[in-house]
Amino acid sequence: MDVIANGGVSWDTTSFLFDFSVENDDCNAIFDKTVLFLMMRTMPSVLINEIGTVRKKWTDRLPVALLYPNIYSVAVSNLGFQLVYSLLNRIDGVVCERFVYPRAGEPFRSLESSRPLRDFPLVFGSVSFEHDYPRLAAMLAAGAIAPFAEDRASVISPGEPVVVLGGVGVFMNPEPLALFADVMVIGEAEAVLEPLIGLLRHFTTSSRADLTMTIGTSVPGCYIPGAYHFSWKENGAVAAVTRPLALPARVTKVVAPVMDTAAHSTLLSPDAELGMYMVELGRGCSRGCRFCAAGFIYRPPRLWSAEAIVQGLKERPDQMDRVGLLGMEMASEATTDVIAAYLHGDGCSLSFSSLRADRISEQTMQLLADSQLKSVAIAADGCSERLRTLINKGLSRADLLSAAVRLVTAGIFQLKLYVMIGLPTETYDDLDEFVALVDQLQASILPIGRERGRVTELTLSINCFVPKPWTPFQYCAFGGLTAAEAAVTSTGPALTALKGKVKYLRRKLAAKANLQLKFDHPEQALQQAVYARADRRIGPVLLDIGSGRYTFKQALQRHGLNPWQYAVRARNYDEMMCWEVIDHGIHAQYLWEEYERALQGRLTAACQPDICRRCGVCHAAP
């Protein structure tokens, strides 16, 4: 029997159990019940039909485990995870094998050679979403590795590995997962993996402390969380951060160099949640929507050239004829026209996550029609025009109605509309305006459907707004509460406010024909809100939840943490944020000014890196 001691708790790895199948008092069913230690099993059947699997002999190679804290179908659909897998396996002398969160009854072993996690001296993790944090903690423990970095032996070896965490979740806010990592990559993998692996090769000749310190002082974008020490004020705000003088006060993110070939799918599987060949059109977004972390942490926005995108498309296997474009809503009309012409000439059909209602070219519309795409999503995000100004979305009612009519005319039978509730200053008048918009949408598209003999169904996806780091709304209270309302040290008012709005919209919209309603659960959004702005004190909570031993509420209580301090407490303009231990180049003063502009109902122009120096990312004018 293997036993790992962590913070005074012993984990019996022969009986470690995830139990997420039952409903608890915090959230409806979250994850499947999974026993992870069925150690003798052949290679998973999902790899039989996978294209792009890399299998290498281990002899004279450095083994690297790559974890994705979700099930295979989700992992193989994540372009960032695919990219890291491909980059690691391209490095001479490295063999990288994947681990995904297993379904019930599946073994917790590497996909490629069915090896246990304890066989790997290096463990990398790619983390994209807050709800995956408990899974990541659980996977480390389930692999018979000490989950917390401070409990791992000084001598690095298989079973006592160096744990490196990266992904957008990490470089948005590294602190929730800080206790689990020896090294955290702040930025994009292309810029850091080779020099990082170059140093990690020497794990047999350096102690853990010496090796991580060398990495932190010599590899840009590498954060060594164990060397930074935080203290907190009574309300949960950061009081001070100390670290060895050799390490930077703030770790600057790294970005990928200009690409000749746009990032694209390197793994394809019929079991993928997104069954398509994906190509990235760029990173970041110029619009500056005040709730969107990607629009700020990827600044300045980089749009790949049409030539680089077409080159990425040319890597597509012959048998894949459906292409998914990531970031289509920010590409220029000229670029989308080039892409559309290529896809049309190559006999490909098109798919994408969502479109900007005010940027749909005629060429794109023609490709949609040719692709026989039946479902399209438009992200309105705010329920009213006032709120769309507040979030800097810049979409009018006329934009949304025009886009809906054009899409339905092009043959769309499923039109989805995404909105958020719980935005700052939101009132029931804003919700009433949304109900009126739905009536106008249906009235506009119904005649088109009747004429062609099939009515378009409208699906409303209504989600609770979650404040994110590095955005102007990082200062907001969860639930749409005012600063005064949020001062009550309880999550009750926020949940009550959101549940009231959900109930109101259900009552107003439930009777409408050809309409589907999808709401997320305020309690589940609360968990995301806690994780998004949490500091490293949340680490033991994540492990407790990941183990299935405690619910979200129980785990927080067990460790003396109030979810209010992370999710609901409004932040001050001069407050030190825990995620400011990393540096995205954005001035805090700029974010606060954008927050004030939002409350004043003022729009901000789109990001213009060539001439704009407002936020600080592009530094002073040359």
Side-chain angles (χ1 to χ4, degrees), residues 54-69:
V54 178
R55 298 186 182 90
K56 292 182 176 180
K57 293 181 179 180
W58 278 45
T59 305
D60 298 325
R61 288 192 170 99
L62 176 66
V64 180
L66 179 59
L67 277 57
Y68 191 84

Side-chain angles (χ1 to χ4, degrees), residues 5-29:
N6 296 289
V9 178
S10 293
W11 299 95
D12 176 357
T13 64
T14 60
S15 60
F16 195 92
L17 179 68
F18 296 87
D19 191 351
F20 290 121
S21 62
V22 296
E23 295 187 3
N24 59 49
D25 56 349
D26 301 308
C27 179
N28 288 334

Side-chain angles (χ1 to χ4, degrees), residues 278-608:
M278 296 178 289
V279 178
E280 184 183 68
L281 304 193
R283 292 179 188 172
C285 178
S286 64
R287 302 300 301 192
C289 293
R290 292 168 174 138
F291 64 89
C292 177
F296 289 88
I297 65 175
Y298 282 107
R299 287 193 175 199
R302 288 155 293 150
L303 306 181
W304 309 145
S305 68
E307 294 75 17
I309 295 166
V310 169
Q311 191 60 41
L313 290 168
K314 288 180 178 179
E315 300 291 327
R316 173 182 57 87
D318 293 338
Q319 61 267 47
M320 289 296 296
D321 60 1
R322 180 161 291 278
V323 172
L325 301 178
L326 306 182
M328 189 171 176
E329 67 277 4
M330 67 178 180
S332 69
E333 187 170 323
T335 297
T336 56
D337 284 350
V338 170
I339 296 167
Y342 175 82
L343 292 176
H344 183 79
D346 210 35
C348 294
S349 57
L350 177 65
S351 186
F352 43 80
S353 56
S354 66
L355 284 174
R356 270 197 66 89
D358 57 348
R359 295 184 66 177
I360 309 176
S361 71
E362 290 302 322
Q363 185 88 332
T364 301
M365 293 299 297
Q366 184 59 50
L367 184 59
L368 287 176
D370 293 345
S371 299
Q372 298 183 340
L373 193 65
K374 304 305 180 188
S375 177
V376 166
I378 298 174
D381 293 318
C383 284
S384 67
E385 199 153 323
R386 181 186 74 83
L387 290 177
R388 290 191 291 276
T389 298
L390 177 130
I391 63 179
N392 211 44
K393 189 73 177 182
L395 288 179
S396 68
R397 177 184 61 85
D399 290 329
L400 295 169
L401 292 174
S402 172
V405 169
R406 294 178 68 200
L407 290 167
V408 172
T409 302
I412 296 300
F413 295 118
Q414 293 280 344
L415 184 63
K416 300 176 182 177
L417 191 67
Y418 295 132
V419 295
M420 294 180 288
I421 58 173
L423 285 165
T425 77
E426 183 180 77
T427 69
Y428 280 82
D429 288 342
D430 297 304
L431 304 190
D432 286 336
E433 184 174 326
F434 177 61
V435 174
L437 173 64
V438 172
D439 288 336
Q440 292 168 323
L441 282 169
Q442 289 193 307
S444 299
I445 64 178
L446 184 60
I448 303 170
R450 284 177 174 165
E451 184 175 340
R452 72 184 175 198
R454 180 176 174 182
V455 175
T456 294
E457 185 176 79
L458 182 62
T459 298
L460 306 179
S461 179
I462 301 170
N463 306 284
C464 300
F465 162 65
V466 173
K468 295 295 180 80
W470 296 108
T471 70
F473 286 176
Q474 67 180 7
Y475 304 99
C476 295
F478 172 70
L481 302 185
T482 65
E485 292 168 334
V488 178
T489 59
S490 168
T491 59
L495 291 174
T496 298
L498 290 171
K499 289 177 180 179
K501 291 176 180 180
V502 169
K503 184 177 180 181
Y504 184 80
L505 287 175
R506 282 193 187 277
R507 179 166 58 83
K508 289 281 189 175
L509 297 168
K512 299 184 184 298
N514 304 312
L515 183 67
Q516 281 194 6
L517 300 177
K518 294 183 178 179
F519 292 90
D520 67 354
H521 299 282
E523 293 91 347
Q524 195 167 4
L526 172 65
Q527 292 188 29
Q528 185 185 2
V530 167
Y531 299 156
R533 291 191 288 185
D535 53 53
R536 61 182 58 189
R537 291 174 295 176
I538 204 77
V541 173
L542 298 175
L543 187 57
D544 278 353
I545 297 169
S547 72
R549 298 172 185 234
Y550 299 94
T551 66
F552 172 73
K553 185 181 297 184
Q554 289 169 344
L556 285 166
Q557 290 174 343
R558 181 170 181 259
H559 295 282
L561 296 177
N562 185 346
W564 166 85
Q565 68 182 339
Y566 297 131
V568 181
R569 182 179 67 84
R571 270 60 172 176
N572 298 318
Y573 76 94
D574 58 351
E575 180 175 333
M576 182 191 303
M577 309 294 185
C578 67
W579 49 86
E580 289 179 340
V581 72
I582 61 177
D583 185 7
H584 286 286
I586 302 171
H587 298 321
Q589 182 65 27
Y590 172 78
L591 294 177
W592 179 259
E593 289 172 358
E594 275 296 291
Y595 181 43
E596 290 186 316
R597 288 176 67 88
L599 299 180
Q600 295 162 6
R602 300 167 63 192
L603 288 169
T604 294
C607 187
Q608 297 175 289

Side-chain angles (χ1 to χ4, degrees), residues 54-175:
V54 178
R55 298 186 182 90
K56 292 182 176 180
K57 293 181 179 180
W58 278 45
T59 305
D60 298 325
R61 288 192 170 99
L62 176 66
V64 180
L66 179 59
L67 277 57
Y68 191 84
N70 212 313
I71 58 175
Y72 174 81
S73 60
V74 178
V76 79
S77 298
N78 186 280
L79 194 58
F81 180 65
Q82 291 191 31
L83 178 65
V84 174
Y85 177 67
S86 176
L87 290 172
L88 286 170
N89 273 313
R90 288 179 197 168
I91 299 174
D92 288 341
V94 169
V95 50
C96 175
E97 299 191 356
R98 293 165 291 163
F99 288 76
V100 299
Y101 193 90
R103 292 183 182 274
E106 292 178 343
F108 186 52
R109 289 202 166 207
S110 68
L111 297 183
E112 285 75 11
S113 67
S114 195
R115 294 175 183 263
L117 193 59
R118 284 184 63 86
D119 282 1
F120 294 80
L122 304 182
V123 173
F124 282 49
S126 178
V127 187
S128 299
F129 306 106
E130 291 92 349
H131 280 303
D132 287 342
Y133 293 175
R135 291 191 185 99
L136 188 281
M139 289 173 78
L140 293 174
I145 289 171
F148 298 127
E150 67 178 7
D151 295 325
R152 296 178 201 131
S154 174
V155 176
I156 301 164
S157 65
E160 298 288 351
V162 174
V163 175
V164 180
L165 299 183
V168 65
V170 167
F171 66 90
M172 181 170 61
N173 178 11
E175 287 306 296

Side-chain angles (χ1 to χ4, degrees), residues 30-75:
I30 308 174
F31 308 121
D32 290 336
K33 181 176 180 179
T34 309
V35 180
L36 293 184
F37 293 93
L38 305 176
M39 286 304 204
M40 298 305 294
R41 187 69 65 88
T42 59
M43 182 179 298
S45 60
V46 293
L47 295 195
I48 295 174
N49 296 314
E50 184 182 83
I51 298 172
T53 312
V54 178
R55 298 186 182 90
K56 292 182 176 180
K57 293 181 179 180
W58 278 45
T59 305
D60 298 325
R61 288 192 170 99
L62 176 66
V64 180
L66 179 59
L67 277 57
Y68 191 84
N70 212 313
I71 58 175
Y72 174 81
S73 60
V74 178

